[in-house]
Amino acid sequence: MSDSEGLLSGIRVIDCGTYIAGPAAAAVMSDFGAEVIKIERPPYGDPGRFLSLLPGAPVSKHLYCWILDGRNKKSVALNLEHPAAREALLKLVAAADVFITNYQAPLLRKFALEYEDLRRVNDRLIYALITGFGEVGADAEKPAYDQTAYWGRSGLMSTMHNADAEPCRSTTGFGDHPTAMTVFGGIMLGLYRRGITGKGMRISTSLMANGAWSNASMIQAAMVGAQFQPRTTRKTVANPLVNHYLTRDAKRIMVCGLDPKKDWSNFCCALGHPEWIEDPRFRTPELRRTNSAALVTAIDETLGARDLTDWAEILRQHEVIWAPVLSLAEAANDPQMEENGVYAEIAPGMRTVNNPLVVSGTEKVKPRMAPEVGEHTLEVLRDAGYSEEALADMVRRGAAVAGQPQGKK
């Protein structure tokens, strides 16, 4: 295996999922060199292709959600209502290493795509299932998106707002992409175990469980009966050293000082107010909480007197932990992210977001643009042993759709 092929070169993944959580896990595997075959329902394919067209989404001529999570994949369009299409899928499963799905349980039963069904075809298969609310209980088969199962059900939505604001919606894929990394980890555990036993296994997770894990500290607090403090605003925050402030040039910064002995004195000196260190209103964490409105006002006035570029150097010199609060446009062009490989070129003049895992001594494969619906149907099924006559018959009967490669339409 050469470095250019990727760590997972030789691993074949069947992405039989929709929207983001399952497909994103498959995209992570493709980044490390796995071959990913994307199963799509004709004629329109994965509805995740069109997420960027929903009302309220940023407007673009590009299907940016699909560019992100459909990258590197081969699209095979199969109408699983048709017996011939399901037979074709089983042929692909028989030669696969991993099967990823977030189909709801009724669909898995309808198409006989549960673990026990596929295990009979390939007992070395790692089967990865993503659900909304888990696999048992009253809500096990309830439809879900990350907005409902990850964000709402986990308590995150009720927590992530100030006293003077309503709860807000999360952004697209906010819970799906972290869940995808959990799925990726589970799949790698399965492949590791298969290397020892020679047998596949079933792994699963849910959007709800991943939301609870993201919110685990606060849920744990509730479990031990902790007394939660009244919700605050930016002006009345319990610790003004964990707060956001505006600079003179209207740039917002987030400060995070958790060590009261070190961070308070460093912050005061950075702001040019060493006298605040022993100020009777502010010298202890309790006093800073009691007098937070006055302290936040004082910090606002001080930080608002200079531009971000000035404060960046001053805060660095005084070892204050902080970061700029970037707009989406600024984040997309952040040089720190660029230098650390957070972004990668996917087409001339177009970049995409890399998965967050870095493995020393190897590189991720160069990303390729997401496919058209059914772009690789004939290629993949031909490799699976179908004759040209059989392929033509499947297309004629509507069991499969053969799309045109990009740029050939």
Side-chain angles (χ1 to χ4, degrees):
M1 180 191 78
S2 68
D3 288 344
S4 62
E5 291 178 317
L7 282 173
L8 297 180
S9 176
I11 297 293
R12 172 175 277 196
V13 178
I14 305 297
D15 171 2
C16 196
T18 59
Y19 290 103
I20 297 178
V28 173
M29 298 200 72
S30 78
D31 290 338
F32 290 109
E35 177 191 19
V36 177
I37 297 172
K38 172 71 179 176
I39 306 299
E40 301 194 76
R41 180 178 294 188
Y44 302 112
D46 187 340
R49 287 176 173 270
F50 310 108
L51 278 173
S52 57
L53 302 180
L54 291 175
V59 178
S60 172
K61 65 179 180 180
H62 300 291
L63 299 177
Y64 47 84
C65 292
W66 178 243
I67 290 171
L68 176 65
D69 295 314
R71 63 177 181 242
N72 307 334
K73 300 177 183 179
K74 297 177 179 178
S75 173
V76 174
L78 295 175
N79 177 8
L80 295 179
E81 301 277 357
H82 201 293
R86 185 174 181 279
E87 180 183 345
L89 177 55
L90 292 181
K91 281 183 178 291
L92 298 178
V93 167
D97 298 283
V98 178
F99 183 89
I100 303 174
T101 187
N102 53 356
Y103 280 8
Q104 290 176 249
L107 272 183
L108 294 175
R109 291 194 293 268
K110 175 181 179 180
F111 296 132
L113 294 178
E114 295 180 293
Y115 176 58
E116 291 303 325
D117 301 312
L118 302 190
R119 183 183 183 185
R120 287 191 285 270
V121 176
N122 180 355
D123 68 355
R124 288 175 53 81
L125 188 71
I126 308 303
Y127 182 99
L129 173 67
I130 304 99
T131 66
F133 299 102
E135 299 176 66
V136 297
D139 293 336
E141 297 190 5
K142 181 179 177 182
Y145 293 111
D146 69 339
Q147 292 270 3
T148 58
Y150 180 99
W151 183 242
R153 192 65 174 262
S154 68
L156 281 166
M157 184 174 179
S158 67
T159 303
M160 303 289 280
H161 67 95
N162 287 339
D164 54 353
E166 295 180 348
C168 63
R169 295 177 295 114
S170 60
T171 60
T172 302
F174 185 84
D176 288 312
H177 285 107
T179 299
M181 296 308 296
T182 298
V183 177
F184 173 71
I187 290 169
M188 298 312 295
L189 281 175
L191 290 172
Y192 168 77
R193 188 64 182 170
R194 188 182 74 175
I196 298 172
T197 66
K199 299 295 184 181
M201 64 190 303
R202 181 184 188 274
I203 66 103
S204 66
T205 192
S206 70
L207 292 167
M208 178 181 68
N210 281 273
W213 184 243
S214 294
N215 201 23
S217 295
M218 292 300 98
I219 293 176
Q220 186 69 65
M223 286 176 170
V224 299
Q227 180 179 354
F228 287 86
Q229 302 300 305
R231 201 178 299 277
T232 63
T233 68
R234 194 189 76 85
K235 284 286 190 180
T236 62
V237 63
N239 182 0
L241 268 68
V242 181
N243 205 8
H244 53 94
Y245 299 93
L246 283 174
T247 59
R248 183 172 60 187
D249 51 348
K251 300 293 185 180
R252 193 174 299 274
I253 66 173
M254 182 69 199
V255 178
C256 189
L258 302 181
D259 183 344
K261 293 181 180 179
K262 174 185 174 183
D263 293 334
W264 172 236
S265 59
N266 286 356
F267 190 55
C268 292
C269 291
L271 268 57
H273 287 287
E275 74 278 7
W276 288 356
I277 297 173
E278 295 300 327
D279 189 308
R281 298 171 298 168
F282 309 139
R283 66 174 180 265
T284 68
E286 293 74 22
L287 288 168
R288 292 193 287 277
R289 178 184 300 126
T290 300
N291 298 294
S292 63
L295 181 52
V296 169
T297 297
I299 296 170
D300 276 340
E301 292 173 354
T302 303
L303 286 172
R306 304 182 74 161
D307 292 344
L308 176 61
T309 52
D310 298 328
W311 286 120
E313 179 59 23
I314 293 169
L315 295 174
R316 183 193 66 78
Q317 290 176 354
H318 289 85
E319 299 183 355
V320 174
I321 298 173
W322 73 284
V325 179
L326 301 184
S327 68
L328 289 172
E330 289 170 331
N333 294 282
D334 183 10
Q336 185 69 17
M337 295 200 201
E338 291 282 4
E339 291 181 31
N340 283 274
V342 176
Y343 305 137
E345 185 181 62
I346 193 169
M350 181 183 294
R351 296 167 302 151
T352 190
V353 183
N354 258 324
N355 78 68
L357 184 61
V358 175
V359 181
S360 177
T362 189
E363 293 185 4
K364 297 167 189 170
V365 301
K366 187 181 187 308
R368 303 183 305 278
M369 281 295 289
E372 299 292 336
V373 178
E375 181 177 337
H376 303 92
T377 300
L378 298 182
E379 170 193 330
V380 170
L381 294 185
R382 191 178 293 121
D383 290 345
Y386 280 82
S387 67
E388 297 301 324
E389 293 76 16
L391 290 172
D393 184 60
M394 285 185 66
V395 172
R396 179 182 58 80
R397 291 191 291 160
V401 170
Q404 290 291 325
Q406 295 186 53
K408 298 290 186 180
K409 289 186 176 182

